[in-house]
Amino acid sequence: MKIFKGISASAGITIGKVFLYLDDNLKVPKYRISSEEISSEMDRFRLATKKVEEDLIKIQSHASKHQLEEESRFLDSHMLMLTDPEFIKQIEENLRSFNRNIEWVLLMTVKQFISTLKKADSPYLVERTVDLYDVTQRIHRHLLFREKISLADIEHEVVVVTHNLMPSDTATMNRKMVKGLVLNAGGKTSHTAILARAFGIPSVLGLTDITDEARSGDAIIVDGNSGTVILNPDNDTLIEYNKRAQKWLQHEKHLNKINKLSSVTLDGQRVLLSANIEMPEEVEQVLSHGADGIGLFRSEFLFLKPSGFSSEDDQYAAYSEVVSKMKDNGGVTIRTLDVGGDKIIPDFETIDEKNPLLGWRAIRFCLNRKDTFKVQMRALRRASMNGVLRIMFPMISGVEELEDALDFLEETKEELRNEGIPFDENIRVGIMIEVPSAAITSDILAKKVDFFSIGTNDLIQYTVAVDRGNENIAYLYKYFHPGVLRLIKTVIDHAHDAGIPVAMCGEMAGDPLASVVLLGMGLDAFSMSSSVLPSVKEILRSVRMDEAEKLVAEVMKMSSFQKIEDYVSGWMNERFDDISV
Ligand code: PEP
Ligand code: MG
């Protein structure tokens, strides 16, 4: 049994089997084995080589059907290598002398063979090194359970253990079968973490090197509540975690009862609690959680799939579906394409950037690629006829950028009018406040838009200069940093001075620990993954505005995130029995 501590990214407890998902650039895992395990490691090796043999036979028969026997002759030598008694004997000897797993021993043995071949001074033998590597890679694929490269193809219930996942991998994986996610990399507000929460998959990130320890098929416990992962748990631990999983289910049932209640404080202040979504399929969950509308539809996820770019009609269909389902439920705020950074559209044009998070992303990309932007604007305007649709621009850093985006939006109005295509003439337009310069100048920006939504995920990253996906500096990524809290307060006050509402759609809005502070600051609307909505609602329904304002007054006098975090945790723990369960 081995216990790992990481960043808890999505709540819930899963007990299951590891699916080690490694891309080809990853190093082969290396771990110690006992002498009793040598024969089972040898069995794994034989099984894997058998499978490679079957693969090679299939390739050869395909080749002969297509008159390619000559070209595939090299596979004969691959076959011979698989059964070469010298090679197999060396593998077994090395397993005994190194006491390491078969994947690593195989690599070492092949390296030994290759260095001998290179010394032979024969061009023919030197060429054979390529074949050796090729066969080794095939065996590794089977040993590491890599036959199914795409997470979309997973057919059994598994816990995916991997180095890192691109948002596009997470978005397209088979969500019915992935029961847990465990990653070496990542932070709480990385897009993979956000998606895991949206899909309700218990997840622990930032584990650094768990891929070196886990093997496909190992038993694993993922406790997304505490950020704990246990590999090959003993019996007592399994019993304990089965109990905890039951308790968690009870807790979820209790929270489900809250879905039907309205979000209003003890003294009658109505607070809007809306949902964040990435895909249209999430709307059912939004409705069942009783959200006050959708406060953030991350439209870029329509693009982060293997087919890449999304046409005007495809986008129109997706937006219309969401907007019509939410017609009588608070409407939908759709954020325009926020690509770049870690969100790369497969097969779409990208540029090589030293600092992608500070680079060609979001509104900068759209204002530069107006053909793409135009398609989205038209689809959005057309879909506005199906309900209440609001448009929101991401990553606005100043007034010029905002004016350019607004002018462009105006142009599409003219275009559609000329074409006689109907659309809502009064679409409300807002911006995300997620760049410090926008927060500081929010008094100027507020005069030009209908609403603000604070994107704390990026706002914190840019204010504290901490990459939100980097596990090594995650300890500095703090929304209770006085600098961050001052910016948030400034934005709320500026919005209210200008008479516009202000929401928050970053992950801070969905953290129960922050909810009373944000309420006391005067935030009008909180937007979050549906799965965390009931926990926040339960808290907001149990406090009064005056006590929330008093808490904020205390907090704003404090000098460090640690002091604030300790004070707020103390306050919340005294007020609520157990806010995190
Ligand atoms: C944010 O930055 O807070 C936000 C909501 O946008 P995203 O997480 O998609 O960058
Ligand atoms: Mg953002």
Side-chain angles (χ1 to χ4, degrees):
M1 175 165 109
K2 203 149 187 193
I3 301 175
F4 301 82
K5 269 291 190 190
I7 298 166
S8 104
S10 175
I13 294 172
T14 284
I15 301 172
K17 291 266 182 250
V18 169
F19 174 78
L20 191 61
Y21 179 72
L22 300 177
D23 63 39
D24 283 334
N25 298 329
L26 261 185
K27 60 181 180 179
V28 166
K30 176 185 179 187
Y31 49 85
R32 202 168 277 286
I33 57 163
S34 63
S35 41
E36 290 84 58
E37 285 176 297
I38 288 174
S39 74
S40 62
E41 289 296 274
M42 232 13 233
D43 288 346
R44 289 180 62 219
F45 175 70
R46 288 199 190 92
L47 189 66
T49 50
K50 184 103 199 51
K51 286 188 171 165
V52 175
E53 255 185 274
E54 288 164 14
D55 291 346
L56 295 179
I57 291 169
K58 271 191 215 146
I59 299 171
Q60 280 176 327
S61 101
H62 182 268
S64 75
K65 267 191 213 139
H66 295 83
Q67 283 84 45
L68 294 169
E69 283 99 336
E70 206 45 51
E71 288 80 354
S72 63
R73 193 69 67 213
F74 71 96
L75 292 176
D76 295 342
S77 59
H78 286 199
M79 281 287 204
L80 286 177
M81 279 178 213
L82 288 172
T83 48
D84 179 20
E86 189 71 23
F87 183 53
I88 296 172
K89 193 167 141 234
Q90 193 60 52
I91 293 266
E92 196 155 7
E93 271 177 32
N94 283 350
L95 264 174
R96 282 182 209 293
S97 56
F98 291 126
N99 275 320
R100 301 282 171 169
N101 56 310
I102 182 65
E103 293 87 346
W104 189 78
V105 166
L106 170 63
L107 190 64
M108 287 305 114
T109 313
V110 167
K111 281 187 176 165
Q112 284 172 353
F113 269 73
I114 286 174
S115 83
T116 317
L117 286 178
K118 282 189 174 159
K119 278 184 212 139
D121 199 21
S122 145
Y124 172 79
L125 285 180
V126 171
E127 269 175 35
R128 297 284 67 76
T129 60
V130 179
D131 293 321
L132 250 179
Y133 268 127
D134 196 345
V135 174
T136 309
Q137 205 174 31
R138 285 181 190 279
I139 303 174
H140 270 142
R141 279 230 168 86
H142 283 288
L143 283 171
L144 295 169
F145 198 2
R146 285 196 219 167
E147 305 97 295
K148 299 218 171 3
I149 294 296
S150 166
L151 291 181
D153 295 333
I154 291 181
E155 285 164 358
H156 308 286
E157 291 194 348
V158 291
V159 169
V160 171
V161 178
T162 184
H163 174 66
N164 200 2
L165 280 185
M166 288 287 106
S168 49
D169 291 326
T170 321
T172 50
M173 73 189 179
N174 184 350
R175 278 141 43 196
K176 286 201 184 81
M177 294 300 165
V178 178
K179 296 294 169 195
L181 272 182
V182 171
L183 265 62
N184 288 349
K188 210 179 172 85
T189 62
S190 62
H191 285 100
T192 294
I194 290 171
L195 284 168
R197 281 193 286 282
F199 301 158
I201 300 174
S203 305
V204 179
L205 312 186
L207 288 156
T208 315
D209 56 5
I210 191 161
T211 49
D212 289 349
E213 310 273 347
R215 296 178 246 181
S216 282
D218 277 355
I220 188 167
I221 296 174
V222 184
D223 179 353
N225 300 336
S226 65
T228 309
V229 173
I230 305 174
L231 269 181
N232 297 314
D234 59 27
N235 226 10
D236 288 350
T237 311
L238 267 177
I239 293 169
E240 166 62 21
Y241 269 89
N242 270 310
K243 276 193 210 142
R244 288 195 199 184
Q246 285 306 319
K247 193 176 164 215
W248 176 251
L249 279 180
Q250 293 302 325
H251 170 69
E252 285 203 306
K253 266 195 203 147
H254 159 74
L255 286 179
N256 278 341
K257 290 191 200 131
I258 295 169
N259 290 335
K260 294 190 186 67
L261 306 175
S262 61
S263 40
V264 58
T265 61
L266 281 179
D267 52 341
Q269 173 78 34
R270 177 85 165 93
V271 188
L272 288 180
L273 291 191
S274 55
N276 292 352
I277 66 164
E278 286 71 34
M279 331 255 180
E281 305 93 91
E282 290 174 67
V283 177
E284 307 309 330
Q285 221 190 324
V286 171
L287 291 170
S288 69
H289 281 84
D292 301 311
I294 290 174
L296 169 66
F297 178 178
R298 290 181 162 97
S299 68
E300 59 275 10
F301 281 88
L302 296 175
F303 298 72
L304 300 182
K305 52 185 194 225
S307 52
F309 189 74
S310 187
S311 69
E312 182 178 323
D313 284 345
D314 285 352
Q315 289 185 57
Y316 168 74
Y319 304 147
S320 297
E321 179 190 339
V322 177
V323 168
S324 46
K325 285 188 179 153
M326 297 303 296
K327 191 170 182 175
D328 302 316
N329 293 289
V332 187
T333 302
I334 302 183
R335 175 175 76 185
T336 59
L337 192 59
D338 182 3
V339 282
D342 62 340
K343 289 181 280 191
I344 308 296
I345 303 176
D347 307 324
F348 201 62
E349 180 190 3
T350 50
I351 51 173
D352 203 15
E353 296 180 290
K354 278 221 176 85
N355 292 304
L357 290 170
L358 300 177
W360 196 47
R361 53 169 296 205
I363 197 70
R364 302 162 185 190
F365 171 90
C366 287
L367 289 174
N368 192 253
R369 282 284 173 274
K370 289 213 168 125
D371 44 348
T372 308
F373 203 23
K374 171 73 74 63
V375 171
Q376 183 167 43
M377 292 285 113
R378 289 175 57 96
L380 286 170
R381 283 209 180 277
R382 285 171 57 200
S384 67
M385 292 301 284
N386 297 307
V388 181
L389 182 155
R390 299 171 287 268
I391 294 177
M392 177 157 76
F393 297 127
M395 280 282 289
I396 294 288
S397 63
V399 78
E400 291 84 356
E401 231 169 10
L402 174 58
E403 282 170 352
D404 283 354
L406 290 172
D407 288 348
F408 190 66
L409 186 60
E410 219 33 49
E411 272 176 38
T412 56
K413 218 178 193 175
E414 282 307 306
E415 200 176 284
L416 289 178
R417 261 189 212 133
N418 293 339
E419 292 173 32
I421 297 176
F423 58 88
D424 177 0
E425 293 275 347
N426 298 308
I427 297 178
R428 291 172 62 219
V429 180
I431 55 171
M432 294 200 54
I433 300 287
E434 50 184 347
V435 179
S437 56
I440 295 163
T441 57
S442 49
D443 51 336
I444 302 168
L445 301 173
K447 298 196 179 91
K448 299 189 172 285
V449 290
D450 299 315
F451 63 91
F452 281 162
S453 187
I454 306 174
T456 44
N457 305 341
D458 278 317
L459 185 63
I460 298 168
Q461 150 167 278
Y462 297 133
T463 304
V464 193
V466 174
D467 177 345
R468 60 196 262 191
N470 184 336
E471 68 278 12
N472 299 316
I473 43 172
Y475 67 96
L476 286 173
Y477 188 94
K478 295 285 181 189
Y479 45 61
F480 284 144
H481 189 297
V484 174
L485 291 182
R486 285 180 196 193
L487 279 185
I488 294 173
K489 184 81 177 89
T490 303
V491 175
I492 295 174
D493 291 347
H494 282 160
H496 290 167
D497 289 348
I500 62 167
V502 53
M504 178 179 286
C505 60
E507 296 303 293
M508 182 178 183
D511 188 334
L513 191 63
S515 49
V516 181
V517 172
L518 295 174
L519 177 77
M521 284 186 167
L523 192 70
D524 301 305
F526 297 59
S527 194
M528 63 199 81
S529 289
S530 310
S531 59
V532 290
L533 238 145
S535 315
V536 173
K537 194 194 278 184
E538 186 172 42
I539 287 175
L540 295 181
R541 285 176 53 84
S542 321
V543 290
R544 289 189 321 273
M545 280 308 287
D546 62 335
E547 52 182 352
E549 282 161 6
K550 218 165 131 219
L551 174 66
V552 170
E554 284 307 314
V555 158
M556 296 306 273
K557 285 188 230 153
M558 295 180 180
S559 55
S560 78
F561 69 68
Q562 202 53 64
K563 282 186 185 144
I564 298 176
E565 204 169 281
D566 292 347
Y567 185 76
V568 176
S569 304
W571 194 95
M572 296 292 280
N573 281 327
E574 210 169 281
R575 198 71 176 63
F576 304 97
D577 281 349
D578 185 0
I579 65 159
S580 59
V581 177

